[in-house]
Amino acid sequence: MSTKIKSPKESFTIMNELVLPNDTNTLNNLMGGRLLHWMDIAAAISAQKHCNRIVVTASVDNVSFKQPIKLGDVITIEAKVTRAFNTSVEVRLDVWAENIPSGARVKSNEAYYTFVAIDQSGRTIPVPEVLPETEDEIELFAGALRRRQLRLILGGKMKANDAKELRALFFEE
């Protein structure tokens, strides 16, 4: 692991997009794939700011759409690194939809993306550690290990019995 330690605020990224007709379906709602594309870009920027390296998307956690985002809404995507592992980082995203004329602003999505840092040859490389500072950052940092174990289990890279932190939620050991 790299000796440099960074706070989550150093990776904080805000990205805005205006929902235009080409971004919508026949109901004038933002297409989910377009939002996932924008989220991937915002998360990658955040991960690159943390790692100071090229990063590639390794996984995307469940993304639920709480309500439709309409044509003309302004999307604000906030992203920041919550935790670093050896060569990967977890990025938390919050998505807000705002109708400018009415002033209504609602949270539409949240998700976690995982990125792996690579060198110019495409080999994985160590990433800086994360030092959470706020209460929210500490909570996200603590939960990241359980989320990572769940991703590894679902991806077939870890056996459920080996996920000690995740198992602790369900069983007293």
Side-chain angles (χ1 to χ4, degrees), residues 77-146:
I77 303 170
E78 298 175 353
K80 71 177 169 183
V81 171
T82 58
R83 189 159 182 168
F85 298 96
N86 295 325
T87 60
S88 67
V89 293
E90 178 190 81
V91 179
R92 161 71 183 236
L93 295 111
D94 293 299
V95 180
W96 303 86
E98 184 175 2
N99 179 284
I100 301 291
S102 74
R105 185 175 192 255
V106 295
K107 187 171 188 179
S108 68
N109 302 78
E110 53 192 48
Y112 294 94
Y113 280 49
T114 303
F115 289 85
V116 175
I118 58 172
D119 65 16
Q120 297 299 335
S121 302
R123 290 186 295 267
T124 59
I125 53 173
V127 298
E129 293 181 54
V130 173
L131 181 62
E133 297 172 327
T134 68
E135 245 179 73
D136 187 47
E137 290 170 355
I138 291 167
E139 188 176 316
L140 289 169
F141 180 90
L145 187 55
R146 292 185 296 273

Side-chain angles (χ1 to χ4, degrees), residues 10-162:
E10 293 179 72
S11 67
F12 185 63
T13 300
I14 299 175
M15 188 171 117
N16 293 299
E17 294 286 344
L18 175 63
V19 179
L20 298 171
N22 196 43
D23 302 321
T24 63
N25 60 24
T26 54
L27 299 173
N28 285 330
N29 294 330
L30 176 64
M31 290 184 288
R34 180 82 64 185
L35 179 59
L36 292 172
H37 172 76
W38 291 338
M39 291 170 72
D40 192 39
I41 292 169
I45 292 169
S46 177
Q48 287 181 15
K49 286 167 78 170
H50 179 82
C51 299
N52 293 109
R53 292 290 186 166
I54 297 167
V55 297
V56 293
T57 310
S59 71
V60 177
D61 285 13
N62 179 46
V63 179
S64 298
F65 295 86
K66 294 180 176 25
Q67 63 183 64
I69 298 170
K70 306 303 272 177
L71 174 65
D73 284 355
V74 172
I75 303 304
T76 301
I77 303 170
E78 298 175 353
K80 71 177 169 183
V81 171
T82 58
R83 189 159 182 168
F85 298 96
N86 295 325
T87 60
S88 67
V89 293
E90 178 190 81
V91 179
R92 161 71 183 236
L93 295 111
D94 293 299
V95 180
W96 303 86
E98 184 175 2
N99 179 284
I100 301 291
S102 74
R105 185 175 192 255
V106 295
K107 187 171 188 179
S108 68
N109 302 78
E110 53 192 48
Y112 294 94
Y113 280 49
T114 303
F115 289 85
V116 175
I118 58 172
D119 65 16
Q120 297 299 335
S121 302
R123 290 186 295 267
T124 59
I125 53 173
V127 298
E129 293 181 54
V130 173
L131 181 62
E133 297 172 327
T134 68
E135 245 179 73
D136 187 47
E137 290 170 355
I138 291 167
E139 188 176 316
L140 289 169
F141 180 90
L145 187 55
R146 292 185 296 273
R147 289 187 296 274
R148 180 175 189 257
Q149 288 179 349
L150 182 57
R151 283 190 285 272
L152 291 171
I153 291 168
L154 293 173
K157 296 177 181 173
M158 176 183 257
K159 296 201 182 309
N161 286 340
D162 296 334

